[in-house]
Amino acid sequence: MSALLEVERLEVDFGGKVAAVRGTSFTVERGETHCLVGESGCGKSVTALSIMDLLARGARRRAQRLSFEGNDLRGLSDKAMARLRGNEMAMIFQEPMTSLNPAYTVGSQMTEGLRRHRKVSQREATDRAADLLARVGITAPGLRLGQFPHQLSGGLRQRVMIAMALMCEPKLLIADEPTTALDVTVQAQILRLLATLQRDLGLGLLLITHDLGIVARIATRVSVMYAGEVVESAATADLFANPKHPYTQGLLRCVPVPGKIQRDQPLGSIPGTVPRIGPGFEGCAFRERCGFADETCAHAVPRHNAGGTHDFLCRLPA
Amino acid sequence: MTAPIAIEVKGVRKTFLVKDGLLSKPRHVVAVDDVSFSVPQGGVLGVVGESGCGKSTPARLILGLLEPSAGEITVEGQKILAMDRKARARLIQPVFQDPFSSLNPLTRVRDIVAMPLIAQGTLDRATVTTRVEEMLERVGLSREQGTRLPTELSGGQRQRVAIARALVLRPRIVVCDEPTSALDVSVQAQILNLLAELRKDLGLTYLFISHNLAVVEHVASDVAVMYLGRFVERQPTETLFAHPEHPYTKALLASVLTPEPGLGVPDVGLGDTLPDPANIPPGCRFHPRCPIAEPRCSVERPPLKPRPGGGVECLLVP
């Protein structure tokens, strides 16, 4: 059986000027949480949007393979894609305030998708919405269905977004920074909820985040992105125990860990900033910030296997 | 031996009048509720709390940008509101969160940094130029970057500009309000290291406001935990992180997702009732969310139980 989502050598550029995604490959299996982690501008959100075919006009998407349950997504008509989107594959966005429509009630937004994809009555759809709101931990779901987004707190809005994404029982859920706009205590609650739902419903979850703490706690598998490429990919435990790519190593050193902080020591940091990369760029994109770089890094870099399913993109040997 | 006091806040209260809509009655929002604290010279007081807890208000009060509704603030022995604006600028300076909106996009970097010096009106052009160049170099910006516009710089570089602008008058105290929250983790580490280095070299005192506990643990000598306008716990940093006492501090610490795989997402045990600063609960203001609240917590106001270098406001701690 093919994987739930397969992405192979995905490339996205904007008007032929900025190469946002440069040959990203990864798969999401049924029932697994795959985290795409990276800093702003590394192409992780563009990757998510291009899977859902929601890229802005002017963006070009190419891929050697882009398939959902073995079905090629590349040649699908807009109509066929619209049948999948919000139905079999759903997405949760970062900012629940801007992704909910302020002019419609929670109930009407939640039922719209289900009524469009399935032949159900408004009554049935509303019942399902109320069930799901209760499922995501919202008390008094009947009341919430009649409310508008501005009447809900940030944490509640994000729960509504999650419930809405689950309306059609998707097989794949893509969550783009679902907790970044929330407070830490609320973030923990929402992530627990996502992890529980993912396990109970056997969802494939593609979670996009910049936070290595979230990755460590929730991911089955991690792909680290830098400048539009996956530079390292491994099972979560392997990546944290044995990071191979200098960027991954640097990123892990930058994260202050409570209780393990030596206050007089400077934090590990990565010098410089992410470069802007145009089409036709060659070599390792991290070389200007890397302590191990030499002249060979300006040419094509090999992908090494570090045992099992752990691989990384670097001239350094495993 | 105790260092002299740099910042002294006594019984300060700040309320805002908030109107929800055209027809609704204005409500009083208590942002800071009878808070007293002091920061010794050369110290770093970290203030942590979630959004809406009022943690930015003390910063703006100390800077003299807001007038307290009650109470008194003295900075280096002088009443902040009685001070002349220019003298105040030489004593205390801010670094704000968002380097994208706190820098004028139409002004060159070196002119932004020169502005505070020019506003003083006592220095000649040549001195201003040398001071600006020294300062840019000190924060790690090149002479060439000084000729650019903020829009041409990355987030980290812009925050360096904001720091240069704050320090060019050689102030004694810097108020940092979420100075790294808009930055990527690798860049955040650079900026935190720079702030720590500058503090040591220039003998500065910081008030450091952040929602990120790990960041605060790294930079602060003392930490105050703010909840709905009050400091519910204040301790020296090591003590607070090793032996948190207030249930809210414990929940905050438990919510931090350290990059340690296999631990899962913790259950922080806080209910779904989110705090509303316009509607502060009676008794202990944390009791509706507190996992160990007793009936008396909703009636009695918790007294301050003093600790060496701080105190805790909870009825249930000894």
Side-chain angles (χ1 to χ4, degrees):
Chain A
M1 193 158 74
S2 49
L4 184 61
L5 177 73
E6 289 171 273
V7 178
E8 219 177 287
R9 296 216 53 80
L10 174 72
E11 290 177 31
V12 179
D13 67 57
F14 291 99
K17 282 194 203 98
V18 183
V21 179
R22 306 182 301 129
T24 291
S25 305
F26 61 91
T27 56
V28 181
E29 302 285 348
R30 289 169 185 81
E32 110 175 332
T33 300
H34 192 128
C35 276
L36 282 185
V37 62
E39 299 182 281
S40 43
C42 74
K44 53 194 194 300
S45 292
V46 174
T47 300
L49 290 173
S50 66
I51 294 166
M52 298 294 277
D53 198 16
L54 288 173
L55 288 169
R57 224 170 273 250
R60 256 190 326 186
R61 173 185 86 177
R62 271 158 316 189
Q64 242 163 49
R65 188 176 171 81
L66 182 60
S67 67
F68 177 71
E69 295 196 293
N71 302 317
D72 198 343
L73 296 179
R74 288 173 305 171
L76 283 189
S77 65
D78 288 352
K79 218 172 160 185
M81 193 62 213
R83 271 200 293 274
L84 280 178
R85 203 189 292 127
N87 187 13
E88 310 255 309
M89 348 176 13
M91 186 156 173
I92 305 168
F93 298 92
Q94 171 171 352
E95 219 329 299
M97 195 62 226
T98 50
S99 31
L100 289 169
N101 190 328
Y104 290 89
T105 61
V106 167
S108 74
Q109 299 187 52
M110 283 189 71
T111 51
E112 186 192 349
L114 186 68
R115 298 226 38 204
R116 188 196 152 105
H117 290 296
R118 306 280 154 80
K119 281 203 173 100
V120 295
S121 66
Q122 183 61 40
R123 178 84 242 156
E124 287 168 291
T126 307
D127 285 349
R128 174 152 178 81
D131 279 353
L132 278 168
L133 286 183
R135 184 83 202 260
V136 299
I138 292 181
T139 46
L143 167 81
R144 299 301 183 192
L145 285 173
Q147 287 187 321
F148 290 91
H150 75 266
Q151 293 171 292
L152 311 177
S153 69
L156 280 181
R157 277 183 223 136
Q158 200 54 292
R159 282 167 201 253
V160 167
M161 286 292 295
I162 294 172
M164 190 189 294
L166 296 175
M167 280 297 279
C168 295
E169 300 179 301
K171 293 171 180 152
L172 174 72
L173 182 62
I174 300 180
D176 187 1
E177 303 267 11
T179 58
T180 305
L182 306 175
D183 281 319
V184 282
T185 54
V186 183
Q187 161 168 293
Q189 289 172 329
I190 297 287
L191 289 175
R192 266 181 84 80
L193 170 70
L194 267 180
T196 313
L197 290 169
Q198 186 266 334
R199 202 182 48 230
D200 294 355
L201 306 176
L203 288 173
L205 176 61
L206 178 65
L207 183 87
I208 291 162
T209 180
H210 67 282
D211 186 331
L212 286 161
I214 294 179
V215 175
R217 301 309 189 90
I218 200 170
T220 329
R221 203 179 162 75
V222 194
S223 292
V224 181
M225 284 192 77
Y226 187 80
E229 281 177 308
V230 172
V231 295
E232 183 159 7
S233 181
T236 309
D238 292 341
L239 187 98
F240 283 88
N242 193 12
K244 288 290 186 188
H245 196 282
Y247 176 62
T248 315
Q249 294 170 355
L251 212 49
L252 282 167
R253 272 198 304 270
C254 293
V255 184
V257 180
K260 291 187 185 161
I261 283 169
Q262 282 158 321
R263 297 237 327 280
D264 303 328
Q265 300 285 315
L267 271 175
S269 64
I270 304 176
T273 44
V274 183
R276 208 176 263 264
I277 287 181
F281 181 89
E282 233 200 289
C284 173
F286 187 58
R287 63 178 188 260
E288 291 190 351
R289 303 175 74 189
C290 180
F292 302 101
D294 67 12
E295 64 283 357
T296 59
C297 299
H299 307 293
V301 196
R303 191 170 283 280
H304 287 291
N305 186 285
T309 56
H310 186 170
D311 58 52
F312 65 104
L313 193 66
C314 183
R315 72 167 181 91
L316 295 171
Chain B
M1 194 191 82
T2 46
I5 300 298
I7 306 172
E8 171 100 77
V9 171
K10 267 192 206 152
V12 163
R13 199 181 149 80
K14 178 71 195 171
T15 56
F16 294 101
L17 219 51
V18 175
K19 269 185 104 170
D20 280 336
L22 265 178
L23 300 171
S24 66
K25 253 205 223 151
R27 306 176 303 160
H28 273 285
V29 173
V30 183
V32 174
D33 193 1
D34 192 14
V35 165
S36 301
F37 64 90
S38 62
V39 188
Q41 271 176 19
V44 181
L45 176 65
V47 179
V48 294
E50 299 182 279
S51 50
C53 75
K55 62 185 184 297
S56 287
T57 310
R60 290 156 71 197
L61 289 166
I62 289 166
L63 285 162
L65 299 175
L66 288 175
E67 214 171 308
S69 316
E72 202 177 86
I73 298 169
T74 46
V75 177
E76 300 245 317
Q78 303 182 69
K79 288 197 181 118
I80 196 73
L81 286 170
M83 283 179 86
D84 163 59
R85 279 180 60 171
K86 287 183 191 170
R88 197 160 73 199
R90 289 193 299 269
L91 179 63
I92 185 163
Q93 283 283 334
V95 175
F96 292 113
Q97 168 173 359
D98 188 356
F100 298 87
S101 62
S102 61
L103 301 176
N104 185 339
L106 301 177
T107 311
R108 299 204 174 276
V109 164
R110 53 163 193 238
D111 298 328
I112 291 175
V113 178
M115 205 71 84
L117 292 170
I118 295 167
Q120 289 289 325
T122 50
L123 296 168
D124 60 71
R125 197 72 226 178
T127 322
V128 169
T129 311
T130 4
R131 289 270 291 268
V132 168
E133 278 175 6
E134 277 168 17
M135 204 60 237
L136 286 177
E137 197 191 325
R138 190 69 194 73
V139 299
L141 291 170
S142 67
R143 187 185 282 246
E144 184 269 328
Q145 282 164 331
T147 64
R148 298 219 223 146
L149 293 172
T151 43
E152 299 169 294
L153 302 178
S154 70
Q157 288 163 344
R158 287 184 218 201
Q159 205 54 304
R160 285 173 196 271
V161 176
I163 294 171
R165 174 176 64 182
L167 294 183
V168 75
L169 281 177
R170 300 173 185 157
R172 314 262 309 125
I173 297 160
V174 181
V175 174
C176 307
D177 190 357
E178 301 269 12
T180 61
S181 303
L183 306 175
D184 276 319
V185 50
S186 70
V187 182
Q188 162 177 294
Q190 295 171 12
I191 297 296
L192 290 176
N193 289 338
L194 174 68
L195 284 170
E197 205 183 289
L198 290 167
R199 188 187 65 81
K200 229 190 273 170
D201 295 353
L202 308 174
L204 299 167
T205 304
Y206 287 164
L207 182 73
F208 194 99
I209 292 150
S210 178
H211 69 283
N212 187 326
L213 284 142
V215 165
V216 166
E217 186 184 8
H218 188 77
V219 298
S221 48
D222 289 87
V223 180
V225 179
M226 200 162 180
Y227 190 80
L228 282 180
R230 280 195 75 80
F231 284 2
V232 293
E233 179 163 5
R234 171 163 182 198
Q235 304 266 18
T237 308
E238 282 89 3
T239 320
L240 187 108
F241 281 87
H243 308 287
E245 290 195 64
H246 198 284
Y248 179 61
T249 313
K250 288 183 182 170
L252 271 185
L253 284 175
S255 311
V256 178
L257 302 175
T258 53
E260 296 168 289
L263 293 182
V265 185
D267 181 2
V268 292
L270 299 183
D272 289 330
T273 0
L274 289 175
D276 175 8
N279 196 359
I280 292 180
C284 168
R285 53 197 66 208
F286 183 57
H287 84 264
R289 294 177 81 197
C290 182
I292 57 164
E294 292 177 4
R296 62 184 169 128
C297 297
S298 55
V299 195
E300 282 174 60
R301 212 177 157 148
L304 177 74
K305 298 181 178 166
R307 297 286 184 268
V312 190
E313 285 188 353
C314 176
L315 288 163
L316 306 177
V317 301

